[in-house]
Amino acid sequence: MDKEVFEKPNVTSYSIGTLADAAAGLSKVRLIDAHLRRIEVTPFHGTIQASIEAVDAGTLPWPRIVLGGLDSIEARHDLQRLHADLTLDGGTGGPVGTTVALHEALPTGPCLRCFFKSTHTGKSAEQRLHELTGLPLSRIARGQEPLTERDLEGLVDQQHELVGQFLGRPVCGLINSSELQGRTDDGFRPSAAFVAQQAACLVVGAWIARSPGLFSGPPRHIEYDTRFGPRPDQMIDHRLPALGCVCQKDAALINHIRETRRTRH
């Protein structure tokens, strides 16, 4: 499941997809479906919230194990609300974008909220996009709709010129656009494919180990810098649920939701 479409900056940071796919605005879930030919894929092009609603409506299978590759705390918190048996979250980051990490989350804790605390400081991505482009927040909320000439009405000259170059593209994802942030495609791009691939390997490796019960130890937080490689004696931290987290306070409600979804599916 993914709400985004494949764009030009993704060509250098993804291990799949071409410039032609970016020009066509192919949805990322369709791109994955096209490559995983030996696996039965049910692509869902939409938000995590929409996928949760589809699960509860019985129109989308409830996933028991989730492999996540998200880029914000808020999205990870949303993903946790699927309340899968196991959520394997992979990510990249660090000062130069070369750190990779794996978080193994359980509905009983530690969940993704335990691993990623909410930060209420600073402006939201939507607010920053609004201030940069002049687009109304109500328009930004309709992120999947492509920008049109009508969206340029009422913008000042500088905003008109800035937003005009993105006509025909969905609003979502513009906040991370290299052109919008004043960078060029020739500059340093921290989201390198080989770094993302290592994060993916951590996630898939954990999936292989956990699924058949080859590894049944406590949930782990694994992190290392790809510039120096993994250090088994330093990179693994076993985690406990955070006191006061939703997964602890609302455990009875979460168990009820999980039982309802298990019965329905």
Side-chain angles (χ1 to χ4, degrees), residues 1-264:
M1 60 184 70
D2 199 319
K3 68 177 183 179
E4 296 183 348
V5 297
F6 190 75
E7 297 181 310
K8 187 177 178 181
N10 299 136
V11 176
T12 57
S13 59
Y14 275 45
S15 56
I16 59 175
T18 65
L19 286 171
D21 294 326
L26 193 68
S27 68
K28 291 182 178 179
V29 292
R30 292 295 177 185
L31 182 66
I32 293 173
D33 186 19
H35 282 77
L36 299 181
R37 304 312 307 167
R38 298 174 63 185
I39 298 176
E40 182 181 350
V41 178
T42 303
F44 185 87
H45 185 209
T47 64
I48 297 173
Q49 173 60 34
S51 73
I52 292 172
E53 294 172 1
V55 166
D56 287 335
T59 58
L60 185 70
W62 179 42
R64 307 305 293 272
I65 297 180
V66 173
L67 313 184
L70 301 166
D71 57 7
S72 74
I73 292 176
E74 292 78 10
R76 287 178 165 94
H77 287 187
D78 283 345
L79 188 65
Q80 185 62 54
R81 293 192 296 110
L82 279 167
H83 301 308
D85 295 345
L86 175 64
T87 301
L88 301 172
D89 170 77
T92 61
V96 293
T98 55
T99 299
V100 296
L102 164 72
H103 306 89
E104 299 181 329
L106 303 174
T108 54
C111 70
L112 287 181
R113 289 181 180 270
C114 297
F115 284 110
F116 298 93
K117 304 297 183 182
S118 294
T119 55
H120 297 291
T121 59
K123 300 174 181 178
S124 68
E126 291 80 6
Q127 184 65 36
R128 296 197 307 272
L129 186 60
H130 163 67
E131 294 179 357
L132 185 63
T133 64
L135 293 171
L137 288 171
S138 58
R139 175 64 182 90
I140 293 173
R142 305 196 313 274
Q144 292 301 317
E145 298 180 15
L147 287 165
T148 66
E149 291 284 353
R150 185 173 181 178
D151 293 315
L152 302 181
E153 297 176 2
L155 301 183
V156 299
D157 291 344
Q158 185 177 3
Q159 294 170 338
H160 190 285
E161 182 179 356
L162 179 64
V163 178
Q165 63 184 312
F166 297 102
L167 288 177
R169 289 172 55 177
V171 176
C172 62
L174 288 190
I175 195 64
N176 295 320
S177 169
S178 59
E179 302 103 307
L180 196 59
Q181 295 182 359
R183 300 191 303 270
T184 65
D185 288 341
D186 297 328
F188 175 65
R189 193 179 299 278
S191 184
F194 80 91
V195 176
Q197 285 172 344
Q198 287 196 45
C201 286
L202 284 177
V203 171
V204 174
W207 176 31
I208 294 172
R210 293 286 188 181
S211 298
L214 296 176
F215 178 78
S216 57
R220 300 169 296 172
H221 167 215
I222 298 174
E223 185 172 343
Y224 66 91
D225 193 322
T226 57
R227 294 175 298 172
F228 307 104
R231 292 283 301 275
D233 58 328
Q234 297 179 355
M235 70 178 192
I236 299 177
D237 177 25
H238 296 294
R239 291 296 184 94
L240 295 174
L243 294 177
C245 182
V246 171
C247 66
Q248 304 303 299
K249 294 190 300 182
D250 297 337
L253 176 60
I254 291 172
N255 287 335
H256 175 70
I257 293 173
R258 282 172 46 78
E259 188 58 36
T260 301
R261 290 173 180 171
R262 182 181 295 109
T263 302
R264 181 170 294 160

